[in-house]
Amino acid sequence: MTDTQPRPARDTADFWFDPACPWAWMTSRWMVEVQQVREVDVRWHVMSLSVLNEGRDLPEEYRELMDDSWAAVRVLTAAQELYGAEHLKPLYDAMGTRRHPGGRKDTAAIIRESLDEAGLPASLAAYADTDEFDEQLRASHAEAIALVGDEVGTPVVAVNGAAFFGPVMTPAPKGEDAGRLWDGFVLVTGVPGFYELKRTRTKGPVFD
């Protein structure tokens, strides 16, 4: 019999997201459901598809998305640095609800409205166009990439220190279905040699 470390009574998850990514949004909604049915604390972090794809040859439409995505991650990072990490998740919720199930792409308006909804100063919107906190943004992004490598995207989820890209799903399961998927995810993160499960996506994100 091999020696194994006992699983902690309460799991800790670290969740890295780019607010522009619909798949990260889907996984984040699953994570919210998990917290209702399992004992887990979640720490939310920003990562950036724009940083991830720097220097890569991208299709024109994807390159435009990368250019646009800087604004939201910069505002999120500024909010965290100036007002505290507890504001990151509410601001992400407000932005993501408008962009993903809301189907909107007017980033400047989304940022303004989301800051208001999250109870944050409107002046934070100015950070969309500055690199003042890019060092902190890149450091947060690098923390995720150090755990999973640079051949992945967003989201990155770590459980008790072990991380994977994903899980990627549509639609996000709810209730006990969300809890069972979490149980499986925790199980595979506990296997040191486990690297990948994947199949071709045949559906786009289903926002419900």
Side-chain angles (χ1 to χ4, degrees):
M1 177 178 288
T2 60
D3 293 330
T4 58
Q5 290 185 339
R7 178 174 167 182
R10 188 176 183 91
D11 290 317
T12 298
D14 288 279
F15 192 108
W16 282 267
F17 65 90
D18 183 318
C21 178
W23 295 106
W25 177 254
M26 298 298 297
T27 307
S28 75
R29 298 311 92 185
W30 164 68
M31 196 74 254
V32 170
E33 286 288 320
V34 169
Q35 288 188 278
Q36 307 305 309
V37 295
R38 294 294 186 269
E39 294 292 320
V40 54
D41 297 313
V42 183
R43 298 179 296 206
W44 300 86
H45 312 271
V46 173
M47 64 183 297
S48 171
L49 289 172
S50 298
V51 173
L52 183 69
N53 287 289
E54 282 180 326
R56 297 183 180 179
D57 187 18
L58 302 173
E60 180 63 30
E61 64 274 11
Y62 197 67
R63 194 159 55 244
E64 290 175 359
L65 174 63
M66 294 301 95
D67 291 342
D68 182 59
S69 73
W70 276 110
V73 291
R74 281 172 164 165
V75 171
L76 281 156
T77 304
Q80 179 176 359
E81 293 300 313
L82 295 174
Y83 294 96
E86 68 272 17
H87 295 285
L88 197 59
K89 172 64 164 39
L91 186 55
Y92 175 43
D93 288 345
M95 288 179 175
T97 299
R98 288 165 172 79
R99 177 172 288 274
H100 300 302
R104 291 173 53 185
K105 300 188 184 303
D106 49 336
T107 300
I110 288 172
I111 289 171
R112 289 195 303 272
E113 293 170 18
S114 298
L115 287 168
D116 182 63
E117 181 178 323
L120 289 163
S123 58
L124 279 171
Y127 289 93
D129 300 315
T130 76
D131 60 1
E132 182 171 342
F133 293 111
D134 278 12
E135 181 178 351
Q136 291 89 335
L137 167 60
R138 289 177 181 275
S140 180
H141 176 89
E143 186 179 2
I145 295 303
L147 291 171
V148 296
D150 62 2
E151 297 177 355
V152 300
T154 175
V156 169
V157 182
V159 186
N160 304 323
F164 281 92
F165 161 63
V168 176
M169 67 196 77
T170 186
K174 294 180 170 57
E176 187 57 26
D177 287 341
R180 283 193 294 269
L181 178 57
W182 173 254
D183 295 339
F185 186 75
V186 172
L187 179 63
V188 299
T189 61
V191 179
F194 184 90
Y195 289 102
E196 186 172 3
L197 265 178
K198 189 171 183 178
R199 60 177 173 172
T200 300
R201 293 196 297 263
T202 57
K203 291 182 179 179
V206 177
F207 305 116
D208 54 357

